[in-house]
Coordinates of all heavy atoms in Angstrom, one line a residue:
M200 N 116.8 80.7 143.8 CA 116.4 81.5 142.7 C 115.0 82.0 143.1 O 114.1 81.3 143.5 CB 116.3 80.7 141.4 CG 115.8 81.5 140.3 SD 115.2 80.6 138.9 CE 116.7 80.0 138.1
T201 N 114.8 83.3 142.9 CA 113.5 83.9 143.2 C 112.9 84.3 141.9 O 113.5 84.7 140.9 CB 113.6 85.1 144.1 OG1 114.4 86.1 143.5 CG2 114.2 84.7 145.5
T202 N 111.6 84.3 141.9 CA 110.8 84.7 140.7 C 110.1 86.0 141.0 O 109.4 86.0 142.0 CB 109.8 83.6 140.3 OG1 110.5 82.4 140.0 CG2 109.1 84.0 139.0
E203 N 110.3 87.0 140.2 CA 109.6 88.3 140.4 C 108.5 88.4 139.5 O 108.5 88.1 138.3 CB 110.6 89.4 140.1 CG 110.1 90.8 140.5 CD 111.1 91.8 140.3 OE1 112.3 91.6 140.7 OE2 110.8 92.9 139.7
T204 N 107.3 88.8 140.1 CA 106.1 89.0 139.2 C 105.8 90.4 139.3 O 106.0 91.1 140.3 CB 104.9 88.1 139.7 OG1 104.6 88.5 141.1 CG2 105.2 86.6 139.7
K205 N 105.2 90.9 138.2 CA 104.7 92.3 138.1 C 103.2 92.3 138.0 O 102.6 91.6 137.2 CB 105.3 92.9 136.8 CG 104.9 94.3 136.7 CD 105.5 94.9 135.4 CE 105.1 96.3 135.2 NZ 105.5 96.9 133.9
E206 N 102.6 93.0 139.0 CA 101.2 93.1 139.0 C 100.7 94.3 138.1 O 101.3 95.4 138.2 CB 100.7 93.3 140.4 CG 99.2 93.4 140.6 CD 98.8 93.5 142.0 OE1 99.4 92.8 142.9 OE2 97.8 94.3 142.3
E207 N 99.7 94.1 137.3 CA 99.2 95.1 136.4 C 97.8 95.4 136.8 O 97.1 94.5 137.2 CB 99.2 94.7 134.9 CG 100.6 94.7 134.3 CD 100.6 94.5 132.8 OE1 99.9 95.4 132.2 OE2 101.2 93.6 132.3
S208 N 97.4 96.6 136.8 CA 96.0 97.0 137.1 C 95.4 97.7 135.9 O 96.1 98.3 135.0 CB 96.0 97.9 138.3 OG 96.7 99.1 138.1
F209 N 94.1 97.6 135.7 CA 93.4 98.2 134.6 C 92.3 99.1 135.1 O 91.7 98.8 136.1 CB 92.8 97.1 133.7 CG 93.8 96.2 133.1 CD1 94.2 95.0 133.7 CD2 94.4 96.6 131.9 CE1 95.2 94.2 133.1 CE2 95.4 95.8 131.3 CZ 95.8 94.6 131.9
T210 N 92.0 100.1 134.4 CA 90.9 101.0 134.7 C 89.6 100.4 134.2 O 89.6 99.5 133.3 CB 91.1 102.4 134.1 OG1 91.1 102.3 132.7 CG2 92.4 103.0 134.5
L211 N 88.5 101.0 134.7 CA 87.2 100.5 134.2 C 87.1 100.7 132.7 O 86.6 99.9 132.0 CB 86.1 101.2 134.9 CG 84.7 100.9 134.5 CD1 84.4 99.4 134.7 CD2 83.7 101.7 135.3
E212 N 87.6 101.9 132.2 CA 87.6 102.2 130.8 C 88.3 101.1 130.0 O 87.9 100.6 128.9 CB 88.2 103.5 130.5 CG 88.1 103.9 129.0 CD 88.7 105.3 128.8 OE1 88.5 106.2 129.7 OE2 89.4 105.5 127.8
E213 N 89.5 100.7 130.5 CA 90.3 99.7 129.8 C 89.5 98.3 129.8 O 89.6 97.6 128.8 CB 91.7 99.5 130.4 CG 92.6 100.7 130.2 CD 93.8 100.6 131.0 OE1 93.8 100.1 132.2 OE2 94.9 101.0 130.5
I214 N 88.9 98.0 130.9 CA 88.2 96.7 130.9 C 87.0 96.7 130.0 O 86.8 95.8 129.2 CB 87.7 96.4 132.4 CG1 88.9 96.2 133.3 CG2 86.7 95.3 132.4 CD1 88.6 96.1 134.7
L215 N 86.2 97.8 130.0 CA 85.1 97.9 129.1 C 85.5 98.0 127.6 O 84.9 97.4 126.8 CB 84.3 99.2 129.4 CG 83.5 99.2 130.8 CD1 82.9 100.5 131.0 CD2 82.5 98.0 130.8
S216 N 86.6 98.6 127.3 CA 87.1 98.6 125.9 C 87.6 97.3 125.5 O 87.5 96.9 124.3 CB 88.2 99.7 125.7 OG 89.4 99.2 126.3
S217 N 88.0 96.4 126.4 CA 88.4 95.1 126.1 C 87.3 94.2 125.6 O 87.5 93.2 125.0 CB 89.1 94.4 127.3 OG 88.2 94.1 128.2
L218 N 86.0 94.7 125.8 CA 84.9 93.9 125.4 C 84.6 94.1 123.9 O 83.8 93.3 123.3 CB 83.6 94.3 126.2 CG 83.8 94.1 127.7 CD1 82.5 94.6 128.4 CD2 84.0 92.6 128.0
K219 N 85.2 95.0 123.2 CA 85.1 95.2 121.8 C 85.6 93.9 121.1 O 86.5 93.3 121.7 CB 85.9 96.4 121.3 CG 85.4 97.7 121.7 CD 86.1 98.9 120.9 CE 87.6 98.8 120.9 NZ 88.2 100.0 120.3
T220 N 85.1 93.6 120.0 CA 85.5 92.4 119.3 C 86.9 92.5 118.6 O 87.6 91.5 118.4 CB 84.5 91.9 118.3 OG1 84.2 92.9 117.4 CG2 83.2 91.5 119.1
S221 N 87.2 93.7 118.2 CA 88.4 93.9 117.4 C 89.2 95.1 118.0 O 88.7 96.2 118.2 CB 88.1 94.1 115.9 OG 89.3 94.3 115.2
H222 N 90.5 94.8 118.2 CA 91.4 95.8 118.7 C 92.6 96.0 117.8 O 92.9 95.0 117.0 CB 91.9 95.5 120.1 CG 90.8 95.5 121.1 ND1 90.5 96.6 121.9 CD2 89.9 94.5 121.5 CE1 89.4 96.3 122.7 NE2 89.1 95.1 122.5
R223 N 93.3 97.1 117.9 CA 94.4 97.3 117.0 C 95.7 97.5 117.9 O 95.6 98.1 119.0 CB 94.3 98.6 116.2 CG 93.1 98.5 115.2 CD 92.9 99.8 114.4 NE 93.0 101.0 115.3 CZ 93.3 102.2 114.8 NH1 93.6 102.4 113.6 NH2 93.3 103.2 115.7
L224 N 96.8 97.0 117.4 CA 98.1 97.2 118.1 C 98.7 98.3 117.3 O 98.9 98.3 116.1 CB 98.9 95.9 118.0 CG 100.3 96.0 118.7 CD1 100.0 96.1 120.2 CD2 101.1 94.7 118.4
I225 N 99.0 99.4 118.1 CA 99.6 100.6 117.5 C 101.0 100.7 117.8 O 101.4 100.7 119.0 CB 98.8 101.9 118.0 CG1 97.3 101.8 117.8 CG2 99.4 103.1 117.3 CD1 96.8 101.7 116.4
L226 N 101.9 100.9 116.8 CA 103.3 101.1 117.0 C 103.5 102.6 116.8 O 103.1 103.2 115.8 CB 104.1 100.4 115.9 CG 105.6 100.6 115.9 CD1 106.2 100.1 117.2 CD2 106.2 99.8 114.7
W227 N 104.2 103.2 117.8 CA 104.4 104.6 117.9 C 105.9 105.0 117.5 O 106.8 104.2 117.9 CB 104.1 105.2 119.2 CG 102.7 105.1 119.6 CD1 102.0 104.0 120.1 CD2 101.6 106.0 119.3 NE1 100.7 104.2 120.3 CE2 100.4 105.5 119.8 CE3 101.6 107.3 118.8 CZ2 99.2 106.2 119.7 CZ3 100.4 108.0 118.7 CH2 99.2 107.4 119.2
N228 N 106.1 106.1 117.0 CA 107.4 106.6 116.7 C 108.1 107.0 118.0 O 107.4 107.5 118.9 CB 107.3 107.8 115.8 CG 108.7 108.2 115.2 OD1 109.6 107.4 115.1 ND2 108.9 109.5 114.9
D229 N 109.4 106.8 118.1 CA 110.2 107.3 119.2 C 111.6 107.6 118.7 O 111.9 107.5 117.6 CB 110.2 106.2 120.3 CG 110.9 104.9 119.9 OD1 111.8 104.9 119.1 OD2 110.4 103.9 120.3
D230 N 112.3 108.2 119.6 CA 113.7 108.6 119.2 C 114.8 107.6 119.7 O 115.9 107.9 119.7 CB 114.0 110.0 119.9 CG 113.1 111.1 119.4 OD1 112.7 111.0 118.2 OD2 112.8 112.0 120.2
V231 N 114.3 106.4 120.0 CA 115.2 105.4 120.5 C 115.5 104.3 119.5 O 116.7 103.9 119.3 CB 114.6 104.8 121.8 CG1 115.5 103.7 122.4 CG2 114.4 105.9 122.9
N232 N 114.5 103.8 118.9 CA 114.6 102.6 118.1 C 115.0 102.9 116.6 O 114.5 103.9 116.1 CB 113.3 101.8 118.1 CG 113.1 101.1 119.4 OD1 113.8 100.3 119.9 ND2 112.1 101.7 120.1
T233 N 115.9 102.1 116.1 CA 116.3 102.3 114.7 C 115.3 101.6 113.7 O 114.5 100.7 114.2 CB 117.7 101.6 114.5 OG1 117.6 100.2 114.7 CG2 118.7 102.2 115.4
F234 N 115.4 102.0 112.5 CA 114.6 101.3 111.4 C 114.9 99.8 111.5 O 114.0 99.0 111.4 CB 114.9 101.9 110.1 CG 114.1 103.1 109.7 CD1 114.3 104.3 110.4 CD2 113.2 103.0 108.7 CE1 113.5 105.4 110.0 CE2 112.4 104.1 108.3 CZ 112.6 105.3 109.0
D235 N 116.2 99.5 111.5 CA 116.5 98.0 111.5 C 115.9 97.3 112.7 O 115.5 96.1 112.5 CB 118.1 97.9 111.6 CG 118.7 98.3 110.3 OD1 118.1 98.3 109.2 OD2 120.0 98.6 110.3
H236 N 115.9 97.9 113.8 CA 115.3 97.2 115.0 C 113.8 97.0 114.8 O 113.2 95.9 115.1 CB 115.6 97.9 116.3 CG 115.1 97.2 117.5 ND1 115.5 95.9 117.9 CD2 114.1 97.6 118.4 CE1 114.8 95.6 119.0 NE2 114.0 96.5 119.3
V237 N 113.1 98.0 114.3 CA 111.7 97.9 114.1 C 111.4 96.9 113.0 O 110.5 96.0 113.2 CB 111.1 99.3 113.6 CG1 109.6 99.2 113.2 CG2 111.2 100.3 114.8
I238 N 112.1 96.9 112.0 CA 112.0 95.9 110.9 C 112.2 94.5 111.4 O 111.4 93.5 111.2 CB 112.9 96.2 109.7 CG1 112.4 97.5 109.0 CG2 112.9 95.0 108.7 CD1 113.4 98.1 108.0
H239 N 113.3 94.3 112.2 CA 113.6 93.0 112.8 C 112.4 92.5 113.7 O 112.0 91.3 113.5 CB 114.8 93.1 113.7 CG 115.1 91.9 114.6 ND1 115.5 90.7 114.1 CD2 114.8 91.8 115.9 CE1 115.6 89.9 115.1 NE2 115.2 90.5 116.2
C240 N 111.8 93.4 114.5 CA 110.7 93.0 115.4 C 109.5 92.6 114.6 O 108.8 91.7 114.9 CB 110.4 94.1 116.4 SG 111.7 94.3 117.7
M241 N 109.2 93.4 113.6 CA 108.0 93.2 112.8 C 108.1 91.8 112.0 O 107.1 91.1 111.9 CB 107.8 94.3 111.7 CG 107.4 95.6 112.3 SD 105.9 95.7 113.3 CE 106.5 95.7 115.0
T242 N 109.3 91.5 111.6 CA 109.5 90.2 110.8 C 109.5 89.0 111.8 O 108.9 88.0 111.5 CB 110.7 90.2 110.0 OG1 111.9 90.5 110.8 CG2 110.6 91.3 108.9
K243 N 110.2 89.2 112.9 CA 110.3 88.1 113.9 C 109.0 87.8 114.6 O 108.7 86.6 114.8 CB 111.4 88.5 114.9 CG 111.6 87.4 116.0 CD 112.8 87.7 116.9 CE 113.0 86.6 117.9 NZ 114.1 86.9 118.8
Y244 N 108.3 88.8 115.1 CA 107.2 88.6 116.0 C 105.8 88.6 115.3 O 104.9 88.0 115.7 CB 107.2 89.5 117.2 CG 108.4 89.4 118.0 CD1 109.4 90.3 118.1 CD2 108.5 88.2 118.8 CE1 110.5 90.2 118.9 CE2 109.7 88.1 119.6 CZ 110.6 89.0 119.6 OH 111.7 88.9 120.4
L245 N 105.7 89.4 114.2 CA 104.4 89.6 113.5 C 104.4 89.0 112.1 O 103.5 89.1 111.4 CB 104.1 91.1 113.4 CG 103.9 91.8 114.8 CD1 103.5 93.2 114.6 CD2 103.0 91.0 115.7
D246 N 105.5 88.3 111.7 CA 105.6 87.6 110.5 C 105.4 88.4 109.2 O 104.9 88.0 108.2 CB 104.6 86.4 110.4 CG 105.0 85.3 111.4 OD1 106.2 85.1 111.6 OD2 104.1 84.6 111.9
Y247 N 105.8 89.7 109.3 CA 105.8 90.5 108.1 C 107.0 90.2 107.3 O 108.0 89.8 107.8 CB 105.8 92.0 108.5 CG 104.5 92.6 108.9 CD1 104.3 92.9 110.3 CD2 103.5 92.8 108.0 CE1 103.0 93.4 110.7 CE2 102.2 93.3 108.4 CZ 102.0 93.6 109.8 OH 100.8 94.1 110.2
T248 N 106.9 90.5 106.0 CA 108.1 90.3 105.1 C 109.0 91.6 105.4 O 108.5 92.6 106.0 CB 107.7 90.3 103.6 OG1 107.1 91.6 103.3 CG2 106.7 89.2 103.3
E249 N 110.2 91.5 104.9 CA 111.1 92.6 105.1 C 110.5 93.9 104.4 O 110.6 95.0 105.0 CB 112.5 92.3 104.4 CG 113.3 91.3 105.2 CD 114.2 91.9 106.2 OE1 114.5 93.1 106.1 OE2 114.5 91.2 107.2
S250 N 109.9 93.7 103.2 CA 109.4 94.8 102.5 C 108.2 95.4 103.3 O 108.0 96.7 103.4 CB 108.9 94.4 101.1 OG 108.3 95.4 100.4
Q251 N 107.3 94.6 103.8 CA 106.1 95.1 104.6 C 106.6 95.8 105.8 O 106.1 96.9 106.2 CB 105.2 93.9 105.0 CG 104.5 93.3 103.8 CD 103.8 92.0 104.2 OE1 104.3 91.2 105.0 NE2 102.7 91.7 103.6
A252 N 107.6 95.2 106.5 CA 108.1 95.8 107.7 C 108.8 97.1 107.5 O 108.7 98.1 108.3 CB 109.1 94.8 108.4
E253 N 109.4 97.3 106.4 CA 110.1 98.5 106.0 C 109.0 99.6 105.8 O 109.2 100.8 106.2 CB 110.9 98.4 104.8 CG 111.8 99.6 104.4 CD 112.7 99.4 103.3 OE1 113.1 98.2 103.0 OE2 113.1 100.4 102.6
K254 N 107.9 99.2 105.1 CA 106.8 100.2 104.9 C 106.2 100.6 106.2 O 105.9 101.8 106.4 CB 105.7 99.6 104.0 CG 106.1 99.4 102.5 CD 105.1 98.8 101.7 CE 105.6 98.6 100.3 NZ 104.6 97.9 99.5
I255 N 106.1 99.7 107.2 CA 105.6 100.1 108.5 C 106.5 101.0 109.2 O 106.1 102.0 109.7 CB 105.4 98.8 109.3 CG1 104.2 98.0 108.8 CG2 105.2 99.1 110.8 CD1 104.1 96.6 109.4
A256 N 107.8 100.8 109.1 CA 108.8 101.6 109.7 C 108.7 103.0 109.2 O 108.8 104.0 109.9 CB 110.2 101.0 109.6
W257 N 108.6 103.1 107.9 CA 108.5 104.5 107.2 C 107.2 105.2 107.6 O 107.2 106.4 107.8 CB 108.6 104.4 105.7 CG 110.0 104.3 105.3 CD1 110.7 103.2 104.8 CD2 111.0 105.4 105.3 NE1 112.0 103.6 104.5 CE2 112.2 104.9 104.8 CE3 110.9 106.7 105.7 CZ2 113.3 105.7 104.8 CZ3 112.0 107.5 105.6 CH2 113.2 107.0 105.1
E258 N 106.1 104.4 107.7 CA 104.8 105.1 108.1 C 104.9 105.6 109.5 O 104.5 106.7 109.8 CB 103.6 104.1 108.0 CG 102.3 104.7 108.3 CD 101.1 103.9 108.0 OE1 101.2 103.0 107.1 OE2 100.1 104.2 108.6
V259 N 105.5 104.8 110.4 CA 105.7 105.2 111.8 C 106.6 106.5 111.8 O 106.3 107.4 112.6 CB 106.3 104.1 112.7 CG1 106.7 104.6 114.0 CG2 105.3 103.0 112.8
H260 N 107.6 106.5 111.1 CA 108.5 107.6 111.0 C 107.9 108.9 110.5 O 108.0 109.9 111.1 CB 109.7 107.2 110.1 CG 110.7 108.4 110.0 ND1 111.6 108.7 111.0 CD2 111.0 109.2 108.9 CE1 112.3 109.8 110.5 NE2 112.0 110.0 109.3
N261 N 107.1 108.7 109.4 CA 106.4 109.9 108.8 C 105.2 110.3 109.4 O 104.9 111.5 109.5 CB 106.2 109.6 107.3 CG 107.5 109.5 106.5 OD1 108.4 110.2 106.7 ND2 107.5 108.5 105.6
K262 N 104.3 109.4 109.9 CA 103.0 109.8 110.5 C 103.0 109.7 112.0 O 102.0 110.1 112.6 CB 102.0 108.9 109.9 CG 101.8 109.0 108.4 CD 100.7 108.2 107.9 CE 100.5 108.4 106.4 NZ 99.4 107.6 105.8
G263 N 104.0 109.2 112.6 CA 104.0 109.1 114.1 C 103.5 107.8 114.7 O 103.8 107.5 115.8
K264 N 102.7 107.1 113.9 CA 102.2 105.8 114.4 C 101.7 105.0 113.2 O 101.5 105.5 112.1 CB 101.1 106.0 115.4 CG 99.8 106.7 114.8 CD 98.7 106.9 115.8 CE 97.5 107.4 115.2 NZ 96.4 107.5 116.1
C265 N 101.4 103.7 113.5 CA 100.9 102.8 112.5 C 100.2 101.6 113.2 O 100.8 101.0 114.2 CB 102.0 102.2 111.6 SG 101.5 101.1 110.4
A266 N 99.0 101.3 112.8 CA 98.4 100.1 113.3 C 99.0 98.9 112.6 O 99.0 98.7 111.4 CB 96.9 100.1 112.9
V267 N 99.6 98.0 113.4 CA 100.4 96.9 112.9 C 99.7 95.5 113.0 O 100.1 94.5 112.4 CB 101.8 96.8 113.5 CG1 102.6 98.0 113.2 CG2 101.7 96.6 115.0
L268 N 98.6 95.4 113.8 CA 97.9 94.2 113.9 C 96.5 94.4 114.5 O 96.3 95.4 115.2 CB 98.7 93.3 114.9 CG 98.4 91.8 115.1 CD1 98.7 91.1 113.7 CD2 99.2 91.2 116.2
K269 N 95.6 93.6 114.1 CA 94.2 93.6 114.6 C 93.8 92.3 115.1 O 94.3 91.2 114.6 CB 93.2 94.0 113.5 CG 93.3 95.4 113.0 CD 92.3 95.7 111.9 CE 92.4 97.1 111.4 NZ 91.4 97.5 110.4
G270 N 93.0 92.3 116.2 CA 92.6 91.0 116.8 C 91.9 91.2 118.1 O 91.5 92.4 118.4
S271 N 91.8 90.2 118.9 CA 91.2 90.3 120.2 C 92.0 91.1 121.2 O 93.3 91.2 121.0 CB 90.9 88.9 120.8 OG 92.2 88.3 121.2
F272 N 91.4 91.6 122.2 CA 92.2 92.4 123.2 C 93.3 91.5 123.8 O 94.4 92.0 124.0 CB 91.2 92.8 124.3 CG 91.9 93.6 125.4 CD1 92.3 94.9 125.1 CD2 92.2 93.1 126.6 CE1 92.9 95.7 126.1 CE2 92.8 93.8 127.6 CZ 93.2 95.1 127.3
T273 N 93.0 90.3 124.1 CA 94.0 89.4 124.7 C 95.2 89.2 123.8 O 96.3 89.2 124.2 CB 93.3 88.0 125.1 OG1 92.2 88.3 126.0 CG2 94.3 87.1 125.8
E274 N 94.9 88.9 122.6 CA 95.9 88.7 121.6 C 96.8 90.0 121.4 O 98.0 89.9 121.4 CB 95.3 88.3 120.2 CG 96.4 88.0 119.2 CD 95.8 87.7 117.8 OE1 94.6 88.0 117.6 OE2 96.5 87.2 117.0
M275 N 96.1 91.1 121.4 CA 96.9 92.4 121.2 C 97.7 92.7 122.5 O 98.9 93.2 122.3 CB 95.9 93.5 120.9 CG 95.2 93.5 119.6 SD 96.2 93.2 118.2 CE 96.1 91.5 117.9
E276 N 97.2 92.3 123.6 CA 98.0 92.5 124.9 C 99.2 91.6 124.9 O 100.3 92.1 125.3 CB 97.1 92.2 126.1 CG 96.3 93.4 126.6 CD 97.2 94.5 127.1 OE1 97.9 94.3 128.1 OE2 97.1 95.6 126.5
I277 N 99.1 90.4 124.4 CA 100.3 89.5 124.3 C 101.4 90.1 123.4 O 102.5 90.2 123.8 CB 99.9 88.1 123.9 CG1 99.0 87.5 124.9 CG2 101.1 87.3 123.5 CD1 98.3 86.2 124.5
Y278 N 101.0 90.6 122.3 CA 101.9 91.2 121.3 C 102.5 92.5 121.8 O 103.6 92.8 121.7 CB 101.3 91.3 119.9 CG 101.3 90.0 119.2 CD1 100.1 89.4 119.0 CD2 102.4 89.4 118.7 CE1 100.0 88.1 118.3 CE2 102.4 88.2 118.0 CZ 101.2 87.6 117.8 OH 101.2 86.4 117.1
R279 N 101.6 93.3 122.5 CA 102.1 94.5 123.1 C 103.2 94.3 124.1 O 104.3 94.9 124.1 CB 100.9 95.2 123.8 CG 101.4 96.6 124.5 CD 100.3 97.2 125.3 NE 99.9 96.4 126.5 CZ 100.7 96.3 127.6 NH1 101.8 97.0 127.8 NH2 100.2 95.6 128.6
K280 N 103.0 93.3 125.0 CA 104.0 93.0 126.0 C 105.3 92.5 125.3 O 106.4 92.9 125.7 CB 103.5 92.0 127.0 CG 102.5 92.5 127.9 CD 101.9 91.5 128.8 CE 100.8 92.1 129.7 NZ 100.2 91.2 130.6
I281 N 105.2 91.7 124.3 CA 106.4 91.1 123.6 C 107.2 92.3 123.0 O 108.4 92.4 123.2 CB 106.0 90.1 122.5 CG1 105.5 88.8 123.2 CG2 107.2 89.8 121.6 CD1 104.8 87.9 122.2
L282 N 106.5 93.2 122.3 CA 107.1 94.3 121.6 C 107.7 95.3 122.6 O 108.7 95.9 122.3 CB 106.2 94.9 120.5 CG 105.8 94.0 119.4 CD1 104.8 94.6 118.5 CD2 107.1 93.5 118.6
Q283 N 107.0 95.5 123.7 CA 107.5 96.4 124.7 C 108.8 95.9 125.3 O 109.7 96.6 125.6 CB 106.5 96.7 125.8 CG 105.5 97.7 125.4 CD 104.5 98.1 126.5 OE1 104.2 97.3 127.4 NE2 104.0 99.3 126.4
Q284 N 108.9 94.6 125.5 CA 110.1 94.0 126.0 C 111.3 94.2 125.0 O 112.4 94.2 125.4 CB 109.9 92.5 126.3 CG 109.1 92.2 127.5 CD 108.8 90.8 127.8 OE1 109.0 89.9 126.9 NE2 108.3 90.5 129.0
E285 N 110.9 94.4 123.7 CA 112.0 94.6 122.7 C 112.3 96.1 122.7 O 113.1 96.5 121.9 CB 111.5 94.1 121.4 CG 111.5 92.6 121.2 CD 112.9 92.1 121.2 OE1 113.9 92.8 120.8 OE2 113.0 90.9 121.5
G286 N 111.6 96.9 123.5 CA 111.9 98.3 123.5 C 111.0 99.2 122.7 O 111.2 100.4 122.6
L287 N 110.1 98.6 122.0 CA 109.2 99.4 121.1 C 108.1 100.0 121.9 O 107.7 99.6 122.9 CB 108.6 98.5 120.0 CG 109.6 97.8 119.0 CD1 108.8 97.0 118.0 CD2 110.5 98.9 118.4
T288 N 107.6 101.2 121.4 CA 106.5 101.9 122.0 C 105.2 101.4 121.3 O 105.0 101.8 120.1 CB 106.7 103.4 121.9 OG1 107.9 103.7 122.5 CG2 105.6 104.1 122.6
V289 N 104.4 100.7 122.0 CA 103.1 100.1 121.4 C 102.0 100.2 122.4 O 102.2 100.2 123.6 CB 103.3 98.6 121.0 CG1 104.1 98.5 119.8 CG2 103.9 97.8 122.1
T290 N 100.8 100.4 121.9 CA 99.6 100.5 122.7 C 98.5 99.7 122.0 O 98.6 99.4 120.8 CB 99.1 101.9 122.9 OG1 98.9 102.5 121.6 CG2 100.1 102.8 123.6
V291 N 97.5 99.4 122.8 CA 96.3 98.7 122.2 C 95.2 99.7 122.1 O 94.9 100.4 123.1 CB 95.9 97.5 123.1 CG1 94.6 96.8 122.6 CG2 97.0 96.4 123.1
D292 N 94.5 99.7 121.0 CA 93.4 100.6 120.7 C 92.1 99.8 120.5 O 92.2 98.9 119.8 CB 93.7 101.5 119.5 CG 92.6 102.5 119.2 OD1 91.9 102.9 120.1 OD2 92.5 102.9 118.0

């Protein structure tokens, strides 16, 4: 069995921005994910209620994006990777 690792690189701007004390995880609208999948991910990984997750899904649908979580850069990167593995389009701001 072999283990494959993925190397990530960061720009100077990304490194410097990581020094901010608070970052936001942004969920972006796309033409791939359903409302149900977004709601499922928000409840499973970010502990939102069904109602809160539905409001997020509608905001993303109507406005194109929504800040779904705030915290340290490291914490936001962890959640970004988790949600990206679920197929969602997310970035750290």
Side-chain angles (χ1 to χ4, degrees):
M200 178 198 288
T201 61
T202 302
E203 187 177 313
T204 59
K205 181 180 175 184
E206 184 176 317
E207 288 192 56
S208 60
F209 296 95
T210 66
L211 178 58
E212 182 179 322
E213 289 171 325
I214 293 168
L215 292 175
S216 74
S217 72
L218 300 176
K219 292 191 308 186
T220 57
S221 183
H222 294 269
R223 299 179 311 158
L224 185 66
I225 309 294
L226 175 63
W227 295 87
N228 191 28
D229 61 37
D230 294 330
V231 179
N232 292 291
T233 64
F234 272 68
D235 287 339
H236 182 62
V237 171
I238 292 167
H239 167 76
C240 290
M241 293 297 103
T242 57
K243 181 176 181 179
Y244 298 109
L245 301 183
D246 292 327
Y247 282 110
T248 65
E249 289 271 336
S250 176
Q251 291 169 324
E253 187 175 336
K254 287 178 184 177
I255 289 169
W257 277 107
E258 183 171 336
V259 169
H260 177 73
N261 291 321
K262 295 184 179 179
K264 66 179 182 176
C265 179
V267 296
L268 194 63
K269 289 183 181 181
S271 71
F272 180 76
T273 303
E274 182 182 16
M275 296 305 98
E276 274 294 297
I277 291 168
Y278 283 106
R279 179 188 64 80
K280 289 177 182 180
I281 291 169
L282 294 176
Q283 279 185 333
Q284 287 178 345
E285 288 289 337
L287 299 181
T288 305
V289 286
T290 58
V291 175
D292 179 27

